[in-house]
Amino acid sequence: TPEAYQRATQRNTGPYGGIGAYVAVEAGRVVISPMPDSPAERAGLQDGDVVLEADGQPLGDEGLEAVVAMVRGEAGTSLILLVERAGELEPIEVRVVRGDIQVASVDRSLLPGAIGYVIITDFRENTGEELLTALEELKQFDMLALILELRNNLGDSVESARAVASQFIPDGLVMYEIDGGGQ
């Protein structure tokens, strides 16, 4: 839908107002995982919490897009979530104040054995710059190898994918694209 396209485009171009949590629908239940240092994490939401209601509206059979639309909103506004948590006998209410959420598309770490590890979750407008920063940070260590993980990548920006590939393929053809019309 036009609304879904606008949300996807917004996610790729800059911050959005929300609680800062990954949302999934598993077996008809809305399960969340707060992003690090997000409004959701600061409010006390935990990985695996099942959201039953958002501002009093049950989330039973809502699709993923409808749930995301319910939790997104203007930074500074609040949202009351009724969540079911493992180990709790009764559902609990959690008040979350939405913030400006900027999700990084690149993460990096140094694994045992001096192996650099970079994961790219999305190809967004700024992914090339994020990758450069991650590689510069990893260059401080005497890496023996580098793992570049692209699994489950949503692949939203072809230009960004070219910028990433160009970091590893200095000359020549990096990629080409054929559209549905054969062009």
Side-chain angles (χ1 to χ4, degrees):
T1 64
E3 295 81 16
Y5 177 77
Q6 182 181 12
R7 280 192 300 276
T9 302
Q10 180 184 33
R11 180 176 55 95
N12 295 328
T13 59
Y16 61 89
I19 65 170
Y22 301 105
V23 181
V25 177
E26 298 174 6
R29 297 167 55 105
V30 178
V31 181
I32 62 167
S33 298
M35 296 173 187
D37 195 33
S38 66
E41 184 181 69
R42 289 189 293 275
L45 290 169
Q46 297 178 6
D47 189 36
D49 279 350
V50 176
V51 181
L52 305 173
E53 294 180 0
D55 279 340
Q57 295 182 347
L59 300 183
D61 293 331
E62 298 291 332
L64 184 59
E65 295 234 355
V67 171
V68 169
M70 291 173 108
V71 297
R72 281 196 179 173
E74 188 175 334
T77 60
S78 65
L79 175 70
I80 305 283
L81 298 175
L82 183 66
V83 299
E84 184 178 278
R85 180 173 293 158
E88 296 287 335
L89 297 176
E90 297 291 324
I92 58 174
E93 276 192 358
V94 179
R95 180 179 178 267
V96 184
V97 177
R98 294 178 181 102
D100 286 323
I101 308 300
Q102 179 69 51
V103 181
S105 61
V106 177
D107 195 9
R108 82 272 171 251
S109 61
L110 188 65
L111 301 176
I115 298 172
Y117 174 78
V118 174
I119 181 170
I120 300 177
T121 56
D122 276 326
F123 286 115
R124 299 189 196 145
E125 287 183 358
N126 63 342
T127 300
E129 291 131 27
E130 287 184 35
L131 175 64
L132 268 173
T133 300
L135 292 174
E136 288 298 322
E137 290 172 0
L138 287 170
K139 278 184 183 178
Q140 297 175 31
F141 306 99
D142 288 329
M143 289 188 303
L144 297 177
L146 175 70
I147 297 171
L148 179 64
E149 181 169 331
L150 303 172
R151 287 183 294 178
N152 301 316
N153 187 303
L154 299 176
D156 295 319
S157 168
V158 173
E159 287 305 315
S160 180
R162 282 189 186 119
V164 167
S166 295
Q167 293 299 313
F168 302 99
I169 305 171
D171 294 319
L173 181 66
V174 173
M175 66 186 303
Y176 66 93
E177 178 181 12
I178 301 174
D179 67 17
Q183 298 295 317

